[in-house]
Amino acid sequence: KAGVTQTPRYLIKTRGQQVTLSCSPISGHRSVSWYQQTPGQGLQFLFEYFSETQRNKGNFPGRFSGRQFSNSRSEMNVSTLELGDSALYLCASSLGASGGANVLTFGAGSRLTVL
Amino acid sequence: KQEVTQIPAALSVPEGENLVLNCSFTDSAIYNLQWFRQDPGKGLTSLLLIQSSQREQTSGRLNASLDKSSGRSTLYIAASQPGDSATYLCAVRQGSGGGADGLTFGKGTHLIIQP
């Protein structure tokens, strides 16, 4: 059974550019959530999607956006990149919506470096 | 705002010892608490999930307890092995309004098991 797949694994961008990250959840999982991990702030919740609808959103500026497709694959986009956006972006999927006993399975992450 | 604290930040012990990692959270209105491990350069692996109505969960050499009223959880690792070396993260999922929020993570405990 394939795990959560994130692409690309590594990428380098310059300030002002935009980036799109992709996440393919485990087959059958309908919930996808995104997290940002930095050495200073640790892991922070970005947003969660379930059945193509955004259910929750963390405290990030509007430059961070996402969407989920009918096959549950998800993308997140960051526009007008800043140096502080350099981070490991992690995607996680679960069978159902958030809450209860839904265990999250994380992907290996996409490491973004902004120069 | 929920805050999660993990103590100690780092721990180094010889192989074979039993050890306890601590996690505390400020708001007891949680749906569940999860423990993860993260190996260098990789995503997170879920270890144990404790629902708010439960007191503990066990998996192999791992035992996690939850005291919601005092805002504390512990992860007990028995007979530690070098392969247990990793960063251990505690995360709580809190409910609000119409649904559960994303996970709030602690900064983690970096564990080294000396052979």
Side-chain angles (χ1 to χ4, degrees):
Chain A
K1 186 176 184 182
V4 178
T5 303
Q6 292 189 244
T7 57
R9 289 292 315 279
Y10 304 91
L11 66 167
I12 300 173
K13 294 284 187 178
T14 56
R15 279 180 298 174
Q17 288 187 313
Q18 74 162 15
V19 66
T20 299
L21 308 178
S22 178
C23 172
S24 293
I26 290 174
S27 178
H29 283 196
R30 296 170 62 192
S31 176
V32 172
S33 50
W34 290 88
Y35 291 82
Q36 181 197 63
Q37 186 174 31
T38 60
Q41 298 298 319
L43 275 151
Q44 293 183 285
F45 171 69
L46 282 158
F47 24 65
E48 177 185 7
Y49 290 87
F50 179 78
S51 293
E52 302 179 66
T53 301
Q54 185 180 89
R55 286 178 53 87
N56 293 296
K57 189 176 192 301
N59 189 26
F60 278 81
R63 300 185 297 107
F64 292 81
S65 63
R67 58 178 176 169
Q68 186 180 34
F69 302 96
S70 59
N71 61 359
S72 294
R73 191 178 70 85
S74 177
E75 289 181 347
M76 68 162 283
N77 183 78
V78 187
S79 62
T80 319
L81 284 166
E82 302 176 358
L83 295 179
D85 297 333
S86 294
L88 180 66
Y89 289 88
L90 292 164
C91 166
S93 74
S94 63
L95 195 60
S98 57
N102 287 299
V103 175
L104 297 185
T105 301
F106 280 80
S110 292
R111 184 166 295 281
L112 170 66
T113 301
V114 182
L115 302 176
Chain B
K1 177 188 171 189
Q2 178 75 270
E3 292 184 2
V4 179
T5 303
Q6 291 187 245
I7 295 174
L11 182 63
S12 180
V13 300
E15 179 178 5
E17 282 200 7
N18 302 323
L19 54 99
V20 174
L21 308 182
N22 296 291
C23 171
S24 62
F25 47 95
T26 55
D27 188 338
S28 62
I30 63 171
Y31 272 19
N32 60 45
L33 181 144
Q34 299 181 56
W35 284 93
F36 297 87
R37 68 174 278 169
Q38 185 173 30
D39 294 281
K42 296 188 178 181
L44 278 63
T45 300
S46 179
L47 298 173
L48 291 164
L49 180 149
I50 310 177
Q51 297 187 57
S52 60
S53 59
Q54 297 175 321
R55 299 283 290 184
E56 66 177 341
Q57 282 287 340
T58 298
S59 175
R61 295 182 294 107
L62 305 179
N63 175 277
S65 67
L66 173 64
D67 184 342
K68 209 172 73 162
S69 61
S70 67
R72 295 179 187 276
S73 175
T74 61
L75 178 67
Y76 175 83
I77 302 176
S80 58
Q81 303 171 357
D84 295 331
S85 298
T87 296
Y88 289 79
L89 294 150
C90 167
V92 298
R93 185 181 293 281
Q94 189 168 1
S96 68
D101 297 328
L103 294 175
T104 301
F105 282 85
K107 293 290 181 68
T109 294
H110 182 56
L111 176 64
I112 296 175
I113 306 299
Q114 306 154 10

